[in-house]
Amino acid sequence: GSHGMDVYEIAKSLRIFSKISFLDDNSDHPLVIGKWQDIDSHLEDYPVAIVAVGDTELRKTWTERITAVGYALPILIHPTAFVPENTEIAPGTVICARATISSGVKMGRGSLVGTGSLVPRNTIIPDWGYYNFDQILMDYHNRIQETK
């Protein structure tokens, strides 16, 4: 999907991976080398893997599976993103293009920061959290509570 292509472009822009491919049960894209059930058979050729889906539950389930198989779980940060040195970033996190992370931010395992997002100082993005440019997690949760 579209998030997968964003992650591909980030990985490619880092110029540290000799090859980048996908497992996808529903695609005939030329970068797809197999289906999800084939995960065990690609470890030798692809020792590093990241789950490139936006769906929180799938991202969590598949990330747990790839780490159990033995894949190394990277942190992918687009070269145009600004990330201070004191940012805590857990494995499996993806920070997209032109995101700005303020000081003291903590990002949980498998979290996503969308393109152009501005993450305010001392924000905590939970495991599997998604931070998009037009919503601050704490305000978003407050709005949900206010509408009930």
Side-chain angles (χ1 to χ4, degrees):
S2 62
H3 180 64
M5 292 314 298
D6 287 347
V7 172
Y8 169 78
E9 291 299 334
I10 294 168
K12 189 170 95 173
S13 72
L14 296 174
R15 297 186 169 118
I16 59 173
F17 300 103
S18 61
K19 54 187 171 180
I20 303 169
S21 300
F22 290 92
L23 296 178
D24 192 328
D25 290 348
N26 301 311
S27 179
D28 57 358
H29 192 281
L31 293 173
V32 173
I33 57 170
K35 296 188 179 295
W36 172 243
Q37 68 191 23
D38 303 326
I39 191 75
D40 296 347
S41 65
H42 294 284
L43 181 59
E44 187 174 320
D45 292 329
Y46 296 88
V48 176
I50 195 162
V51 177
V53 296
D55 181 275
T56 302
E57 286 304 312
L58 283 177
R59 196 167 65 252
K60 179 180 178 184
T61 300
W62 292 357
T63 298
E64 290 169 351
R65 174 79 173 115
I66 65 173
T67 54
V69 169
Y71 288 89
L73 192 59
I75 296 168
L76 297 181
I77 303 172
H78 193 279
T80 63
F82 174 76
V83 182
E85 286 184 23
N86 71 344
T87 305
E88 293 181 29
I89 307 172
T93 295
V94 175
I95 301 174
C96 294
R98 295 188 174 87
T100 300
I101 312 301
S102 298
S103 64
V105 171
K106 297 179 182 180
M107 299 177 180
R109 185 174 175 87
S111 60
L112 304 176
V113 177
T115 300
S117 295
L118 170 59
V119 182
R121 188 174 310 122
N122 300 320
T123 298
I124 297 173
I125 300 174
D127 289 352
W128 321 112
Y130 177 61
Y131 192 95
N132 203 3
F133 73 96
D134 63 347
Q135 56 186 302
I136 297 170
L137 288 175
M138 293 185 316
D139 286 348
Y140 176 74
H141 291 298
N142 289 337
R143 277 184 277 166
I144 289 173
Q145 292 171 353
E146 289 171 3
T147 59
K148 290 184 179 177

